Amino acid sequence: MAKAKQVAKDETRIIKIFDTTLRDGEQAPGNSMNIDEKLRFAKQLQKLNVDVIEAGFPIASEGDFEAVKKVAQSIKGPEIAGLCRSSIKDIDRAWEALKYAGEKGRIHTFIATSDIHMKYKLQMEPAQVLESAVKAVKRAAGYTPNVEFSCEDAVRTQLPFLAQVVEAVIAAGATTVNIPDTVGYTVPFEYFNIIKYLKDNVPNIEQAVISVHCHNDLGLSVANSIAAIQAGAGQVECTINGIGERAGNCSLEEFVMILRTRRDILPFITGIATEQLTPASRLLTNITGIAVQPNKSVVGANAFAHEAGIHQHGMLMDKSTYEIMTPESVGLTASALVLGKHSGRHAFKKRLEELGHDLDDEMLNRAFERFKALADLKKEVFDEDLDAIVTDESREEDQYKLEHITVTCGSFAVATATVQMEINGKPVRTAELGDGPVDSAFKAIRKLTKTKAKLTQYNVGSITGGTDAQGEVTVRVEEGGHTVVGKGASTDIIVASAKAFIHALNRLHCKQKRLMDAV
């Protein structure tokens, strides 16, 4: 078999990383974030050293506008992008939020170009779409030279028309042109040929960076992104943990680590601080409540785990036998034990910072008190325990708060839960019978909150090992077509369940309020 060609250092090309976790990632069911959560995650993306942060869709709601504005005001280093349709109103609203980032503000405007989208969604002729695209880019370029234009559903667009649109928007002022696989339809060799076609048939293509945005409906988003940069694309749009619409987006951590690990044959580099990948993944999980599958590449719990005897033997002899990258390169450490009950505030704060958590003094004080209380209950306190504590303390101003819960149950007793909550600052209390302790607790919470939300998923797991481990509960609830995820942790699984359900109800309330504000 022929050896792969080794890549010389002077042949490498820099690929820009455009992170859309806060926009496309947030649009997936259960992933919605409030302003504070978006800002927390944007700060982690800053540490990760992404090139562009797409902070939201400013015209979608007042909450989204304020989130983009806050990120634009607070984040230094990465460019800050806001998505908008090809309408004057959208573009003007986007710049109202992005202007605080100055020259780092990027207006990202789009319109669909495929026959199926133009006919059924837009109900527009190709000439009208072309005119709208050019008009939008010119409007955006009047605010900033940092303009990105996306041809939605580009891979199902007729290539001559795609080339015509790309040439026109570059002439109008677009400095980045995005060729997205909006529905995750293409395959690597086809995507390579689409990008190559544009390189060969758009006269002014060198005046703009070609960007790609791949969805994972067929599980090919990362492979397609690799093919695109091999054909000449210079920017890849992706998300942490691969979250996003439907099956998600190109996974940032997978794409980046492919380039780093296979630099011998892939002549591309990024500016990503890969040691921040695991902290970013964990922070996103804590904010959204959506766990990463254990066998997830790079950041999954099993990514660096070895159980088979032959694998373990190889690892003991030389780690390179079964690990193609080091745990340290993605932000994992060999030490499992983090802190104990005798640890001080300074050490606690430093470890939180290493895990990607940036808390103000008030939140830090509350988290430290929680840590001390947990350390008295557990022999060992792990990173995952700290993540769970910060998740609880970093949540939004909740409408519903759990004060305390008492449950009695047994083989010959009907489960009874007494729950006291604070709702809009007022204490309320009730007791309910149920088919088991969790059911009775949830019935009491439903009665107090008067919710009609339907519980569609309930999962219980252990954050760490041992009988003194914190239990972690994840629930999914749905009401009125809106689905959210809630998460709770405690050494008492019933308390964790109640926290998770209440967290979900708070998130549902926030989401409904944001949608009402947008009307």
Side-chain angles (χ1 to χ4, degrees), residues 378-391:
K378 294 191 62 180
K379 294 178 181 179
E380 299 176 343
V381 179
F382 296 86
D383 288 349
E384 292 82 357
D385 294 314
L386 299 180
D387 287 336
I389 288 172
V390 172
T391 298

PDB file of all heavy atoms in Angstrom, residues 378-391:
ATOM      1  N   LYS A 378     -19.706  13.326  51.095  1.00  0.00           N
ATOM      2  CA  LYS A 378     -18.972  12.427  50.209  1.00  0.00           C
ATOM      3  C   LYS A 378     -17.504  12.325  50.612  1.00  0.00           C
ATOM      4  O   LYS A 378     -16.914  13.291  51.085  1.00  0.00           O
ATOM      5  CB  LYS A 378     -19.036  12.944  48.759  1.00  0.00           C
ATOM      6  CG  LYS A 378     -20.404  12.926  48.138  1.00  0.00           C
ATOM      7  CD  LYS A 378     -20.307  13.197  46.643  1.00  0.00           C
ATOM      8  CE  LYS A 378     -19.488  12.112  45.976  1.00  0.00           C
ATOM      9  NZ  LYS A 378     -19.348  12.286  44.539  1.00  0.00           N
ATOM     10  N   LYS A 379     -16.917  11.173  50.363  1.00  0.00           N
ATOM     11  CA  LYS A 379     -15.495  11.001  50.647  1.00  0.00           C
ATOM     12  C   LYS A 379     -14.645  11.743  49.623  1.00  0.00           C
ATOM     13  O   LYS A 379     -13.575  12.261  49.935  1.00  0.00           O
ATOM     14  CB  LYS A 379     -15.136   9.513  50.618  1.00  0.00           C
ATOM     15  CG  LYS A 379     -15.779   8.698  51.732  1.00  0.00           C
ATOM     16  CD  LYS A 379     -15.412   7.224  51.592  1.00  0.00           C
ATOM     17  CE  LYS A 379     -16.059   6.400  52.687  1.00  0.00           C
ATOM     18  NZ  LYS A 379     -15.740   4.953  52.555  1.00  0.00           N
ATOM     19  N   GLU A 380     -15.125  11.755  48.389  1.00  0.00           N
ATOM     20  CA  GLU A 380     -14.387  12.391  47.304  1.00  0.00           C
ATOM     21  C   GLU A 380     -15.314  13.305  46.516  1.00  0.00           C
ATOM     22  O   GLU A 380     -16.468  12.961  46.260  1.00  0.00           O
ATOM     23  CB  GLU A 380     -13.793  11.341  46.367  1.00  0.00           C
ATOM     24  CG  GLU A 380     -12.806  10.403  47.042  1.00  0.00           C
ATOM     25  CD  GLU A 380     -12.321   9.319  46.100  1.00  0.00           C
ATOM     26  OE1 GLU A 380     -12.967   9.108  45.056  1.00  0.00           O
ATOM     27  OE2 GLU A 380     -11.294   8.695  46.409  1.00  0.00           O
ATOM     28  N   VAL A 381     -14.810  14.455  46.129  1.00  0.00           N
ATOM     29  CA  VAL A 381     -15.570  15.386  45.306  1.00  0.00           C
ATOM     30  C   VAL A 381     -14.873  15.480  43.950  1.00  0.00           C
ATOM     31  O   VAL A 381     -13.693  15.820  43.878  1.00  0.00           O
ATOM     32  CB  VAL A 381     -15.665  16.775  45.954  1.00  0.00           C
ATOM     33  CG1 VAL A 381     -16.448  17.727  45.058  1.00  0.00           C
ATOM     34  CG2 VAL A 381     -16.329  16.673  47.323  1.00  0.00           C
ATOM     35  N   PHE A 382     -15.605  15.161  42.885  1.00  0.00           N
ATOM     36  CA  PHE A 382     -15.036  15.094  41.552  1.00  0.00           C
ATOM     37  C   PHE A 382     -15.426  16.311  40.715  1.00  0.00           C
ATOM     38  O   PHE A 382     -16.319  17.090  41.086  1.00  0.00           O
ATOM     39  CB  PHE A 382     -15.516  13.824  40.848  1.00  0.00           C
ATOM     40  CG  PHE A 382     -15.055  12.558  41.507  1.00  0.00           C
ATOM     41  CD1 PHE A 382     -15.772  11.991  42.560  1.00  0.00           C
ATOM     42  CD2 PHE A 382     -13.905  11.918  41.086  1.00  0.00           C
ATOM     43  CE1 PHE A 382     -15.359  10.817  43.163  1.00  0.00           C
ATOM     44  CE2 PHE A 382     -13.473  10.740  41.682  1.00  0.00           C
ATOM     45  CZ  PHE A 382     -14.193  10.194  42.722  1.00  0.00           C
ATOM     46  N   ASP A 383     -14.758  16.429  39.562  1.00  0.00           N
ATOM     47  CA  ASP A 383     -15.069  17.535  38.654  1.00  0.00           C
ATOM     48  C   ASP A 383     -16.548  17.551  38.294  1.00  0.00           C
ATOM     49  O   ASP A 383     -17.173  18.607  38.211  1.00  0.00           O
ATOM     50  CB  ASP A 383     -14.249  17.412  37.363  1.00  0.00           C
ATOM     51  CG  ASP A 383     -12.774  17.734  37.573  1.00  0.00           C
ATOM     52  OD1 ASP A 383     -12.431  18.246  38.660  1.00  0.00           O
ATOM     53  OD2 ASP A 383     -11.983  17.474  36.654  1.00  0.00           O
ATOM     54  N   GLU A 384     -17.108  16.369  38.048  1.00  0.00           N
ATOM     55  CA  GLU A 384     -18.516  16.285  37.663  1.00  0.00           C
ATOM     56  C   GLU A 384     -19.433  16.801  38.778  1.00  0.00           C
ATOM     57  O   GLU A 384     -20.485  17.392  38.509  1.00  0.00           O
ATOM     58  CB  GLU A 384     -18.884  14.841  37.313  1.00  0.00           C
ATOM     59  CG  GLU A 384     -18.224  14.308  36.046  1.00  0.00           C
ATOM     60  CD  GLU A 384     -16.802  13.801  36.271  1.00  0.00           C
ATOM     61  OE1 GLU A 384     -16.289  13.919  37.411  1.00  0.00           O
ATOM     62  OE2 GLU A 384     -16.204  13.303  35.310  1.00  0.00           O
ATOM     63  N   ASP A 385     -19.026  16.599  40.037  1.00  0.00           N
ATOM     64  CA  ASP A 385     -19.792  17.135  41.162  1.00  0.00           C
ATOM     65  C   ASP A 385     -19.779  18.661  41.139  1.00  0.00           C
ATOM     66  O   ASP A 385     -20.789  19.322  41.399  1.00  0.00           O
ATOM     67  CB  ASP A 385     -19.221  16.634  42.491  1.00  0.00           C
ATOM     68  CG  ASP A 385     -19.383  15.130  42.674  1.00  0.00           C
ATOM     69  OD1 ASP A 385     -20.484  14.629  42.412  1.00  0.00           O
ATOM     70  OD2 ASP A 385     -18.408  14.483  43.073  1.00  0.00           O
ATOM     71  N   LEU A 386     -18.597  19.212  40.842  1.00  0.00           N
ATOM     72  CA  LEU A 386     -18.477  20.672  40.785  1.00  0.00           C
ATOM     73  C   LEU A 386     -19.320  21.234  39.647  1.00  0.00           C
ATOM     74  O   LEU A 386     -19.964  22.275  39.792  1.00  0.00           O
ATOM     75  CB  LEU A 386     -17.008  21.073  40.612  1.00  0.00           C
ATOM     76  CG  LEU A 386     -16.048  20.635  41.724  1.00  0.00           C
ATOM     77  CD1 LEU A 386     -14.638  21.108  41.419  1.00  0.00           C
ATOM     78  CD2 LEU A 386     -16.498  21.173  43.077  1.00  0.00           C
ATOM     79  N   ASP A 387     -19.308  20.543  38.500  1.00  0.00           N
ATOM     80  CA  ASP A 387     -20.148  20.979  37.377  1.00  0.00           C
ATOM     81  C   ASP A 387     -21.613  21.039  37.792  1.00  0.00           C
ATOM     82  O   ASP A 387     -22.335  21.982  37.448  1.00  0.00           O
ATOM     83  CB  ASP A 387     -19.997  20.013  36.197  1.00  0.00           C
ATOM     84  CG  ASP A 387     -18.661  20.149  35.482  1.00  0.00           C
ATOM     85  OD1 ASP A 387     -18.056  21.226  35.561  1.00  0.00           O
ATOM     86  OD2 ASP A 387     -18.221  19.166  34.860  1.00  0.00           O
ATOM     87  N   ALA A 388     -22.057  20.021  38.529  1.00  0.00           N
ATOM     88  CA  ALA A 388     -23.458  19.964  38.954  1.00  0.00           C
ATOM     89  C   ALA A 388     -23.796  21.100  39.909  1.00  0.00           C
ATOM     90  O   ALA A 388     -24.871  21.698  39.842  1.00  0.00           O
ATOM     91  CB  ALA A 388     -23.753  18.614  39.611  1.00  0.00           C
ATOM     92  N   ILE A 389     -22.877  21.414  40.821  1.00  0.00           N
ATOM     93  CA  ILE A 389     -23.097  22.518  41.760  1.00  0.00           C
ATOM     94  C   ILE A 389     -23.234  23.833  41.007  1.00  0.00           C
ATOM     95  O   ILE A 389     -24.149  24.625  41.257  1.00  0.00           O
ATOM     96  CB  ILE A 389     -21.926  22.598  42.768  1.00  0.00           C
ATOM     97  CG1 ILE A 389     -21.999  21.423  43.743  1.00  0.00           C
ATOM     98  CG2 ILE A 389     -21.965  23.922  43.542  1.00  0.00           C
ATOM     99  CD1 ILE A 389     -20.783  21.319  44.645  1.00  0.00           C
ATOM    100  N   VAL A 390     -22.314  24.074  40.079  1.00  0.00           N
ATOM    101  CA  VAL A 390     -22.340  25.336  39.328  1.00  0.00           C
ATOM    102  C   VAL A 390     -23.606  25.440  38.488  1.00  0.00           C
ATOM    103  O   VAL A 390     -24.180  26.516  38.352  1.00  0.00           O
ATOM    104  CB  VAL A 390     -21.084  25.459  38.443  1.00  0.00           C
ATOM    105  CG1 VAL A 390     -21.190  26.668  37.528  1.00  0.00           C
ATOM    106  CG2 VAL A 390     -19.839  25.577  39.310  1.00  0.00           C
ATOM    107  N   THR A 391     -24.043  24.324  37.939  1.00  0.00           N
ATOM    108  CA  THR A 391     -25.278  24.327  37.156  1.00  0.00           C
ATOM    109  C   THR A 391     -26.445  24.840  37.980  1.00  0.00           C
ATOM    110  O   THR A 391     -27.235  25.678  37.543  1.00  0.00           O
ATOM    111  CB  THR A 391     -25.600  22.914  36.649  1.00  0.00           C
ATOM    112  OG1 THR A 391     -24.549  22.476  35.791  1.00  0.00           O
ATOM    113  CG2 THR A 391     -26.908  22.902  35.866  1.00  0.00           C
TER     114      THR A 391
END
